Amino acid sequence: MTEAIRVPTERGVLTIKRDQLMSLHTTFRIGGPADFLTRAGSEPELLAAIDWAERHDLPVTVIGGGSNLLVGDRGIRGLVILARTPGSALDGHVDLAVEGERARLTVPAQAPISWLGHFTASRGWAGLEWAAGLPGVVGGAVVNNAGAHGGEMADHLTSVELLDLAERRVTRWSREQLQARYRYTVLKFEPRPRRWVVLRATFELPPGEREELTARAASYAQWRRQAQPSGACAGSVFTNPPGTYAGYLIEQAGLKGRQVGGVRVSELHGNFFINTGNATAADVRALIALIQEEVFRRFGIELVPEIEEIGEA
Ligand SMILES: Cc1cc2nc3c(=O)[nH]c(=O)nc-3n(C[C@H](O)[C@H](O)[C@H](O)COP(=O)(O)OP(=O)(O)OC[C@H]3O[C@@H](n4cnc5c(N)ncnc54)[C@H](O)[C@@H]3O)c2cc1C
């Protein structure tokens, strides 16, 4: 076994491992090896990891919870940084500043988005409770403009702080600069290796009734446990076309349960693909193509993937 590389940081030591299977770090449980991989739960760790990659002339891929990704079977070249931390590490470290009628809070990119939904609701601030139960972290949710139950990240986001890898400086973008719309920001469609790393996000939230908000957050989290398929997946594979639902079209086309290799369209939710145990990225790509073709043939509607494909096919 190759030994891990240890890099001293401001607060401790960063561990960088070689040849780590991305299937162990994505919710789809698919993906070949990353040449190098490290976990950066805090900003100093994230910066130390980026410095290390730059010193070794390696491309950097920053991911969060890995819940919106299809990683190629040949993996990812360079350094993959898992920018995530448990919510318990943030309890007591995130300040809500009350300014007049609103609360302003800044959270690190590594913060779990579900934790943020529960946390803000429990303090009586509205607008993020839709995120309760959603996999992933703030960084990934900003990039994808994630959303549910009629809410989305961009609703209450005022700015994000980004590390510009080209100019090596921190810069602040307004919500408008992200050009966020349904499951889209300019950050999501930047070619890799990417220039921008999300460090922090700032939200402004209106007040709400604490009991009502916590009950709503709990019911959203509960709904996910009951209504969404369990098993290895990456959530909705396709975005919803205007005026309809991808899952509905897939169901109407009789494609629920359709399988290619190790991946199957969920019987519970037509827009979820389930890795039955040994799926490859090639299987998923083939199933995506099959569904797109069949839905287009039946309804004349082109389904567009919501999940991002990264790494080498
Ligand atoms: C069961 C299930 C249900 C889901 N339901 C929903 C839903 O209801 N609504 C919805 O919108 N999504 C849903 N998703 C998809 C996903 O959970 C969200 O889009 C989530 O916000 C992605 O966050 P992540 O941290 O996992 O991002 P990742 O998948 O890790 O990354 C997404 C993108 O963000 C980039 N990224 C991550 N962190 C950073 C950073 N710090 N700096 C720069 N780039 C970064 C990555 O490179 C990648 O481009 C679901 C997924 C699953 C598995």
Side-chain angles (χ1 to χ4, degrees), residues 41 85-95 107-108 110-112 115-116 119:
T85 195
S88 55
L90 298 165
D91 285 333
H93 297 281
V94 170
D95 289 330
V107 285
Q110 290 92 338
W115 170 87
L116 184 62
F119 171 76

Side-chain angles (χ1 to χ4, degrees), residues 105-159:
L105 88 159
T106 299
V107 285
Q110 290 92 338
I113 186 71
S114 177
W115 170 87
L116 184 62
H118 286 293
F119 171 76
T120 50
S122 72
R123 297 293 191 280
W125 297 100
L128 288 170
E129 59 282 1
W130 58 265
L134 188 79
V137 301
V138 166
V142 164
V143 169
N144 193 30
N145 188 25
H149 309 288
E152 61 179 19
M153 287 301 276
D155 290 345
H156 298 281
L157 188 73
T158 55
S159 64

Side-chain angles (χ1 to χ4, degrees), residues 37-112:
L37 180 136
T38 192
R39 196 176 276 269
S42 66
E43 193 173 312
E45 286 175 342
L46 182 56
L47 300 179
I50 290 168
D51 278 347
W52 181 85
E54 280 183 349
R55 279 203 305 280
H56 293 84
D57 209 16
L58 293 169
V60 167
T61 302
V62 180
I63 72 169
S67 65
N68 203 43
L69 298 178
L70 175 62
V71 178
D73 295 317
R74 298 180 65 165
I76 301 179
R77 305 290 69 84
L79 175 67
V80 172
I81 304 176
L82 306 178
R84 52 173 93 147
T85 195
S88 55
L90 298 165
D91 285 333
H93 297 281
V94 170
D95 289 330
L96 267 160
V98 180
E99 292 170 10
E101 280 287 283
R102 315 215 133 223
R104 169 184 283 263
L105 88 159
T106 299
V107 285
Q110 290 92 338

Side-chain angles (χ1 to χ4, degrees), residues 184-201:
Y184 174 96
T185 65
V186 285
L187 298 176
K188 183 172 176 181
F189 289 90
E190 215 203 336
R192 291 183 192 268
R194 289 185 172 161
R195 175 171 176 179
W196 309 100
V197 177
V198 181
L199 297 178
R200 286 177 289 276

Side-chain angles (χ1 to χ4, degrees), residues 159-177:
S159 64
V160 287
E161 278 167 82
L162 302 171
L163 176 65
D164 177 349
L165 293 180
E167 296 192 1
R168 219 42 175 96
R169 65 189 178 96
V170 177
T171 178
R172 186 188 290 270
W173 278 19
S174 66
R175 173 181 43 204
E176 289 67 33
Q177 280 170 290

